[in-house]
């Protein structure tokens, strides 16, 4: 994985901390099975269902000493799922008839997912599982192999096929993500945040990327959701904080060569709701700050509105603890979530980031501009700094400039880039800004 891998290598202990490892990770790696291998036998207890990536598997049942082949399943098919639904014994024997690669889905993980689902859906599934076994046994007893085969495949109507495809995709991403955690396939891009009054870079936002071995760089929008649902966000999120803290002094060194007298560059880091609780409890954040000798006032953790609205009491407690480390808190994507202003004063927030949708709207009409003006007024009343997100052109900047906004972030200033490219870009920026300032001083 080149540079990203080398950079990540020293982070192995933090990417997979022992206390935060999810049990299923250890067991649920892709498995290669040779042709002729029996994967499981009828009447055994079953701990895993399997999704076939490549190859073919024969499912058969015993009929008074005679093997009856029920069906042959292939790439994209699931088998062995009955036992993980209701912990019952296997109803068929599974043999790989080609060299086969499967993703095992552990009963523990599956039961956990079922436990979180709608109780009605869970109940229906359990009842259906019982009836299915009975019907399958009957079909086999009556030698009705066609209906046994249809049952094994779970039906083929288009709606089901769509659901099946999306479930399989979801499972693949989760599986790949587990491997990414193990193999350290992540890297950070950095995007500058610029002080509007001076035009000088004031800090950076760290933005996660997944360097997939086959698909290349994958954007966080494609995998953060799955990482959050599967709890993988905990080790991944810790790695992000560590890596950003490690890289920050490199940016600060470049900056300080030109702007010694200005306040230190800051680093903004996105954190998911699930991380907040862990970060506050385990003293993990403090430990990371200590390891990297990071000045906490140069770190801004970006949180989103949902955590403040869904469990405000717990959030207030956790955020207060986090604030005690000295880091700042930024409210990200403001306006896209619940947009309830009533909760803002209850939390120790330092920065408000106005979402791109509002910033885009300043060019549409007066109303768009009024809304942003209103949000900035609100932030000022609460003594929060304000960042305008997603500023893409000069026209937008000129509108925002008159609104007393502190910072801008967006493609107009720079797209996010990997560490080395952004360090080089920062050096160029610092030189040109320092020269411009010196010339202005001479002229006045
Ligand atoms: P975000 O926190 O709102 O980050 C800003 C996103 O807007 C970034 O997308 C950035 O590339 C994009 N962006 C910045 N300026 C502009 C602009 O002028 N125009 C347009 N169209 N887009 C702009 P990215 O890097 O794809 O990240 C997407 C989201 O993924 C982030 O949105 C954040 O919610 C999440 N994310 C990224 N890194 C992490 C992470 O380490 N942890 C967590 N939990 N979430 C992350
Ligand atoms: Ca953000
Ligand atoms: Ca944002």
């Amino acid at each position: 994985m080149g540079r990203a891998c080398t950079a990540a290598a020293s982070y192995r202990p933090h990417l997979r901390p022992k206390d935060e490892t999810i049990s299923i990770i250890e067991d649920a790696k892709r498995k290669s099975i040779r042709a002729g291998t029996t994967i499981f036998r009828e009447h055994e207890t079953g701990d895993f269902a399997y999704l076939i990536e490549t190859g073919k598997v024969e499912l058969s049942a015993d009929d008074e000493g005679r093997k009856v082949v029920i069906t042959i399943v292939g790439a994209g098919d699931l088998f062995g799922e009955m036992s993980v639904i209701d912990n019952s014994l296997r109803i068929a024997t599974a043999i790989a008839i080609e060299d086969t690669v499967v993703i095992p889905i552990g009963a523990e993980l599956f039961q956990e997912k079922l436990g979180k689902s709608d109780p009605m859906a869970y109940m229906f599934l359990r009842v259906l599982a019982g009836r299915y076994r009975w019907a399958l046994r009957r079909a086999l007893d009556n030698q009705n192999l066609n209906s046994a085969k249809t049952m094994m495949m779970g039906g083929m109507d288009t709606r089901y096929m769509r659901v099946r495809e999306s479930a399989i995709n979801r499972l693949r991403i989760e599986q790949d993500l587990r491997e990414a955690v193990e193999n350290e396939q992540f890297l950070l891009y950095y995007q500058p945040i610029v002080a509007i009054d001076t035009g000088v870079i004031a800090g950076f936002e760290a933005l996660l990327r997944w360097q997939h071995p086959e698909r290349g760089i994958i954007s966080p929008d494609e995998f953060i959701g799955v990482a959050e649902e599967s709890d993988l966000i905990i080790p991944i999120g810790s790695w992000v904080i560590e890596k950003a803290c490690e890289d920050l002094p490199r940016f600060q060194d470049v900056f300080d060569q030109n702007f010694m007298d200005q306040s230190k560059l800051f680093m903004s880091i996105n954190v998911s709701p699930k991380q907040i609780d862990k970060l506050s409890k385990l003293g993990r954040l403090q430990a990371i700050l200590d390891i990297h000798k990071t000045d906490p006032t140069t770190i801004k953790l970006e949180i989103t509105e949902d955590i403040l609205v869904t469990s405000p009491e717990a959030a207030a407690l956790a955020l207060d603890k986090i604030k005690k480390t000295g880091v700042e808190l930024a409210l990200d994507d403001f306006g896209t979530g619940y947009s309830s202003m009533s909760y803002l004063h209850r939390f120790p927030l330092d920065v408000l980031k106005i979402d791109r949708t509002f910033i885009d709207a300043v060019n549409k009409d007066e109303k768009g501009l009024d809304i942003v003006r209103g949000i900035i007024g609100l932030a000022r009343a609460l003594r929060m700094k304000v960042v305008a997100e997603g500023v893409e052109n000069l026209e937008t900047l000129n509108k925002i400039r008159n609104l007393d906004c502190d910072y801008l972030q967006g493609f107009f200033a720079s797209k996010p880039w990997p560490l080395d490219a952004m360090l080089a870009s920062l050096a160029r920026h610092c030189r040109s800004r320092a020269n411009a300032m010196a010339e202005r001083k001479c002229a006045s």
Side-chain angles (χ1 to χ4, degrees):
M1 196 183 73
R3 187 162 41 76
C5 189
T6 327
S10 58
Y11 283 85
R12 178 163 260 283
H14 307 298
L15 194 51
R16 295 189 59 217
K18 278 255 175 325
D19 54 332
E20 290 164 0
T21 308
I22 295 111
S23 60
I24 202 75
I25 288 181
E26 302 303 334
D27 303 325
K29 289 178 197 139
R30 279 187 173 80
K31 279 204 168 93
S32 298
I33 302 165
R34 283 189 174 250
T37 308
T38 302
I39 303 166
F40 56 73
R41 283 178 214 283
E42 203 177 342
H43 306 310
E44 282 178 358
T45 52
D47 292 336
F48 290 97
Y50 300 89
L51 174 70
I52 303 180
E53 289 252 290
T54 54
K56 283 201 169 80
V57 172
E58 174 198 86
L59 298 169
S60 64
D62 180 78
D63 182 23
E64 291 172 355
R66 194 170 57 93
K67 172 174 149 183
V68 181
V69 175
I70 306 168
T71 189
I72 290 173
V73 283
D77 288 330
L78 188 69
F79 67 96
E81 73 289 353
M82 295 304 296
S83 297
V84 300
I85 291 175
D86 59 3
N87 296 322
S88 52
L89 302 180
R90 297 286 192 198
I91 48 172
T93 296
I95 300 175
I97 53 172
E98 282 178 6
D99 285 350
T100 296
V101 176
V102 294
I103 299 178
I105 305 155
E108 213 178 296
L109 173 76
F110 193 75
Q111 303 270 340
E112 191 192 306
K113 282 194 198 304
L114 277 182
K116 284 183 198 155
S117 65
D118 182 340
M120 187 78 91
Y122 190 11
M123 182 185 80
F124 271 42
L125 196 64
R126 290 292 294 252
V127 169
L128 282 175
R131 289 190 188 151
Y132 166 90
R133 279 170 192 289
W134 179 81
L136 184 67
R137 194 63 255 169
R138 246 177 87 98
L140 288 173
D141 288 348
N142 297 338
Q143 302 281 313
N144 192 348
L145 279 184
N146 271 345
S147 69
K149 183 174 169 173
T150 311
M151 278 184 233
M152 276 286 185
M153 302 307 291
M156 286 296 154
D157 63 276
T158 37
R159 183 144 178 240
Y160 169 74
M161 290 303 277
R162 270 204 305 276
V163 171
R164 184 178 112 128
E165 206 172 297
S166 102
I168 288 172
N169 268 341
R170 162 78 180 65
L171 195 66
R172 283 212 178 105
I173 294 180
E174 186 174 330
Q175 180 61 27
D176 282 354
L177 210 48
R178 290 182 194 287
E179 288 173 9
V181 168
E182 295 228 311
N183 300 327
E184 297 155 352
Q185 292 167 357
F186 299 104
L187 77 159
L188 293 182
Y189 275 35
Y190 293 99
Q191 186 177 34
I193 297 172
V194 179
I196 293 183
D197 57 350
T198 59
V200 177
I201 290 177
F204 290 90
E205 177 172 2
L207 294 159
L208 182 62
R209 298 290 182 268
W210 174 6
Q211 192 156 16
H212 193 284
E214 280 129 39
R215 294 175 56 201
I217 300 284
I218 301 185
S219 116
D221 286 334
E222 273 196 57
F223 66 88
I224 287 287
V226 177
E228 284 176 341
E229 279 172 37
S230 60
D231 282 354
L232 286 166
I233 195 65
I234 304 293
I236 296 173
S238 290
W239 178 84
V240 170
I241 300 177
E242 286 220 30
K243 185 79 181 91
C245 285
E246 189 200 49
D247 289 347
L248 178 57
R250 299 192 59 189
F251 287 114
Q252 288 171 335
D253 285 349
V254 172
F255 185 77
D256 291 348
Q257 285 166 22
N258 294 283
F259 297 107
M260 204 52 190
D261 51 336
Q262 305 228 1
S263 45
K264 273 192 165 179
L265 280 187
F266 63 79
M267 182 64 77
S268 265
I269 304 170
N270 293 286
V271 289
S272 293
K274 274 192 177 170
Q275 275 176 274
I276 295 289
D277 190 41
K278 278 258 178 343
L279 277 176
S280 68
K281 272 192 197 138
L282 295 175
R284 185 156 201 91
L285 179 59
Q286 188 62 58
I288 295 173
L289 296 172
D290 291 346
I291 290 168
H292 295 284
K293 301 189 176 62
T294 309
D295 172 355
T297 61
T298 60
I299 298 297
K300 300 185 200 298
L301 298 185
E302 298 197 359
I303 58 167
T304 43
E305 288 171 275
D306 42 356
I307 180 178
L308 308 182
V309 177
T310 43
S311 46
E313 276 78 29
L317 272 176
L319 293 178
D320 278 340
K321 272 195 209 160
I322 286 176
K323 277 286 290 186
K324 287 206 174 89
T325 60
V327 302
E328 295 200 337
L329 294 175
L331 187 58
D332 202 359
D333 305 338
F334 183 74
T336 54
Y338 304 87
S339 304
S340 156
M341 316 240 163
S342 60
Y343 63 77
L344 277 183
H345 69 281
R346 295 172 57 186
F347 300 97
L349 301 167
D350 306 282
V351 180
L352 193 78
K353 296 188 78 173
I354 308 176
D355 190 71
R356 179 158 58 93
T357 45
F358 289 94
I359 301 302
D360 277 349
V362 299
N363 293 319
K364 289 208 183 86
D365 53 25
E366 245 346 272
K367 263 193 197 152
L369 198 62
D370 285 344
I371 290 174
V372 173
R373 190 180 286 119
I375 297 175
I376 293 175
L378 174 81
R380 287 274 167 265
L382 295 166
R383 293 187 188 79
M384 295 164 82
K385 296 270 187 199
V386 187
V387 181
E389 293 197 283
V391 176
E392 292 187 345
N393 49 51
L394 185 61
E395 189 192 1
T396 312
L397 170 60
N398 284 337
K399 294 245 164 82
I400 309 260
R401 215 196 285 274
N402 300 323
L403 296 183
D404 191 24
C405 183
D406 301 287
Y407 304 110
L408 76 91
Q409 180 178 355
F411 295 167
F412 178 68
S414 167
K415 287 194 165 177
W417 295 112
L419 176 66
D420 286 348
M422 195 42 90
L423 281 170
S425 164
L426 175 65
R428 284 194 299 275
H429 165 85
C430 287
R431 278 195 299 275
S432 87
R433 292 312 306 164
N435 287 341
M437 283 174 168
E439 276 168 21
R440 222 174 295 148
K441 232 183 207 170
C442 285
S444 63

